[in-house]
């Protein structure tokens, strides 16, 4: 029902910033819970940040204070603002959507999500 397209990845130096965007199709977007996940080589896919359909936010502990998730429902877009980037942040970052979500609940488990974008590479050099 929904297609997700990420953009904004790239190569940055440690300490730099990037803003990832995820554009979602579908008129039911506003009812979806959304999340950002990342996967580095040899590691499990992990939740970076998540946002409920009603705007409640979660950011993983290691990224609190550096990453911020937000959504602009008028533009059907979810953002991940990343600052103070570290080499260990290097990964493929994926946007995900959960269609049948409780309105005010954020979801951290990637297995709960219904739709995924293609991923965008973020590389942080030292």
């Amino acid at each position: 029902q929904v297609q997700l397209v990420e953009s904004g990845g790239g190569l940055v130096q440690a300490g730099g910033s990037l803003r990832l965007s995820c554009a979602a199709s579908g008129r039911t977007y506003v009812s979806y819970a959304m999340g950002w996940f990342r996967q580095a080589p040899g590691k499990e896919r992990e939740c970076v940040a998540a946002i409920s359909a009603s705007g409640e936010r979660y950011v993983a502990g290691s990224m609190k204070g550096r990453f911020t998730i937000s959504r602009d429902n008028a533009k059907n877009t979810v953002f991940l603002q990343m600052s103070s980037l570290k080499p260990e942040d290097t990964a493929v970052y994926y946007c995900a959507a959960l269609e049948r979500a409780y309105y005010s609940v954020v979801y951290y488990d990637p297995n709960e999500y219904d739709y995924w974008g293609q991923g965008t590479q973020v590389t942080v050099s030292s």
Side-chain angles (χ1 to χ4, degrees), residues 41-75:
K43 295 185 178 180
E44 294 286 329
R45 185 169 297 189
E46 64 174 339
C47 184
V48 174
I51 188 166
S52 74
S54 57
E56 289 81 3
R57 303 176 186 184
Y58 162 83
V59 179
S62 64
M63 287 150 274
K64 280 187 175 180
R66 299 192 299 121
F67 291 10
T68 301
I69 188 170
S70 61
R71 63 192 299 164
D72 185 340
N73 290 338
K75 298 180 179 179

Side-chain angles (χ1 to χ4, degrees), residues 83-107:
S83 62
S84 301
L85 285 162
K86 305 173 182 179
E88 50 263 44
D89 294 319
T90 296
V92 178
Y93 284 70
Y94 298 91
C95 176
L98 200 167
E99 183 175 1
R100 295 182 178 180
Y102 287 101
Y103 195 60
S104 301
V105 175
V106 296
Y107 297 84

